[in-house]
Amino acid sequence: MCPRMHSESGRGGAKNRQGNVRRKLPTTVSRIGKDAVHFLQKSPRLCYCAMLCCIVISAILAFSVMRPERKSVQGPISPLKGELSDGITQFLHTASSFNEVLALQRQIDSLLRKDRLNGTD
C-alpha cells in the first residue's frame, strides 16, 4: 500500500496558503524592485532604446491602425451639391429665426410705448 500523503485541503489549508502568500508577497515585490533598479543601473542605454521603440510603435499604431474611417467621395459634384443644400436650409432657418426676433422686438416696443399695462399685456 501507498503511504498516506497529507494534503492541505483539510482544515486550515487555505488559511496557510493565504498566510504564505501574504508573508512572501512583500519580499517578492521588493526583490523584483531591486532587480529592476539593478538592471536600470547596469544598462540604461538598453532601457532608453526600449522606451523609444515603444513610443515609435505606439505612434505608428496611432496613425495607422487606430485612424477613423473616412467617408468615400463619389465625385466632385456630390460634395458641392450637399454643401449647397445644407447652406440653403441653414439660410432659411436663419431667416425664420431673424423674423421671430423682429416680431418679438415689435411686441416689446409696443408694450414699452404704453403708459399702463393691464393683465393681458
Side-chain angles (χ1 to χ4, degrees):
M1 290 189 82
C2 300
R4 184 171 183 168
M5 298 182 71
H6 297 286
S7 67
E8 294 184 12
S9 62
R11 287 178 118 183
K15 284 186 179 181
N16 286 338
R17 281 187 297 239
Q18 288 177 352
N20 288 339
V21 169
R22 285 185 185 157
R23 276 184 267 142
K24 291 179 182 178
L25 185 64
T27 57
T28 305
V29 171
S30 65
R31 187 183 51 150
I32 290 172
K34 287 177 185 177
D35 290 344
V37 168
H38 176 69
F39 181 74
L40 286 172
Q41 290 174 349
K42 182 179 152 185
S43 55
R45 184 174 286 167
L46 178 65
C47 295
Y48 182 74
C49 290
M51 180 187 66
L52 285 181
C53 289
C54 289
I55 291 172
V56 168
I57 289 170
S58 69
I60 290 170
L61 288 174
F63 289 112
S64 62
V65 176
M66 296 181 219
R67 183 175 283 195
E69 294 180 15
R70 294 185 181 181
K71 295 179 181 177
S72 62
V73 177
Q74 301 266 336
I77 296 175
S78 63
L80 183 61
K81 182 180 177 184
E83 289 174 7
L84 285 177
S85 64
D86 288 344
I88 292 171
T89 56
Q90 288 176 354
F91 178 75
L92 292 175
H93 178 68
T94 304
S96 66
S97 298
F98 184 68
N99 285 334
E100 290 176 16
V101 169
L102 289 177
L104 286 173
Q105 188 176 7
R106 279 189 231 114
Q107 288 178 356
I108 291 172
D109 287 339
S110 69
L111 288 174
L112 289 176
R113 278 191 235 121
K114 291 184 179 181
D115 289 335
R116 289 189 174 196
L117 298 174
N118 57 19
T120 61
D121 291 335

